[in-house]
Amino acid sequence: MNIAPLRGEYREVICLKTRSIIHIDWGNIEVFEGQTYRECISGTGFIKENIVGDDCVLIEIGGHLWPFDKKYFVTKSELRDIKLTNIGI
């Protein structure tokens, strides 16, 4: 967990599956399927690669950044492409 940068670069992502992280001090940190969250891409004094690997995203929850598995988050355009592929278009 890291404090989210105020002047960071964020993008909106959608959760594909409800997930949670158990933290000793903060309890359960949950993201819910179908909900929109902010993924932190970069920020002042902050380099994402120093915190998590390529298979994780940093999701802002309550002013803090939490690492979640990348496969459970997509942008709106990626979600549209997934839905079009599922119906065969």
Side-chain angles (χ1 to χ4, degrees), residues 39-75:
E39 175 191 359
C40 185
I41 299 169
S42 67
T44 304
F46 161 83
I47 299 173
K48 178 182 172 189
E49 292 77 21
N50 290 344
I51 300 172
V52 295
D54 290 337
D55 59 341
C56 288
V57 293
L58 290 172
I59 302 298
E60 181 193 9
I61 299 173
H64 293 90
L65 299 177
W66 298 93
F68 284 92
D69 198 337
K70 190 176 200 170
K71 66 184 176 184
Y72 298 117
F73 293 89
V74 294
T75 62

Side-chain angles (χ1 to χ4, degrees), residues 2-89:
N2 289 299
I3 295 175
L6 293 176
R7 294 190 179 112
E9 182 181 344
Y10 294 89
R11 72 176 173 176
E12 200 171 84
V13 291
I14 299 168
C15 182
L16 297 176
K17 186 174 182 182
T18 299
R19 307 300 301 159
S20 67
I21 295 174
I22 299 172
H23 190 275
I24 294 171
D25 297 327
W26 294 85
N28 286 349
I29 307 301
E30 296 181 305
V31 291
F32 299 98
E33 181 177 343
Q35 295 293 318
T36 303
Y37 296 93
R38 289 180 4 139
E39 175 191 359
C40 185
I41 299 169
S42 67
T44 304
F46 161 83
I47 299 173
K48 178 182 172 189
E49 292 77 21
N50 290 344
I51 300 172
V52 295
D54 290 337
D55 59 341
C56 288
V57 293
L58 290 172
I59 302 298
E60 181 193 9
I61 299 173
H64 293 90
L65 299 177
W66 298 93
F68 284 92
D69 198 337
K70 190 176 200 170
K71 66 184 176 184
Y72 298 117
F73 293 89
V74 294
T75 62
K76 287 181 182 180
S77 63
E78 291 169 338
L79 182 61
R80 187 197 76 220
D81 292 342
I82 290 169
K83 288 184 176 187
L84 288 174
T85 301
N86 287 345
I87 61 173
I89 295 179

